[in-house]
Amino acid sequence: MTRFTVPDMSCGHCTAAIEKEIKSADSAAQVACDLGDHSVSVTSTLDSAALIAAIKQAGYTATPA
Ligand SMILES: [Cu+2]
């Protein structure tokens, strides 16, 4: 599992957009967003750089947590 901090993720719309983008890159990915601490946990075969790119594609900034 890889964990990221996404500070500009603030509501259910954000988490849905992030999940959708990650799953379009890896349909088997498991994504858990936590709005409480602005973290996204991902289980995927994609590497960290690819996951950050997918989150960026959704319009958010991710840094490794
Ligand atoms: Cu939002």
Side-chain angles (χ1 to χ4, degrees):
M1 185 188 80
T2 314
R3 202 159 172 271
F4 302 96
T5 301
V6 185
D8 43 4
M9 174 181 81
S10 59
C11 70
H13 174 83
C14 303
T15 61
I18 289 167
E19 281 185 35
K20 182 171 170 241
E21 208 56 59
I22 291 173
K23 288 189 174 182
S24 79
D26 172 12
S27 59
Q30 294 193 345
V31 186
C33 299
D34 187 332
L35 287 170
D37 63 2
H38 300 278
S39 72
V40 178
S41 301
V42 187
T43 302
S44 169
T45 54
L46 298 171
D47 65 13
S48 163
L51 292 169
I52 287 173
I55 295 170
K56 192 176 179 188
Q57 185 69 34
Y60 301 91
T61 310
T63 52

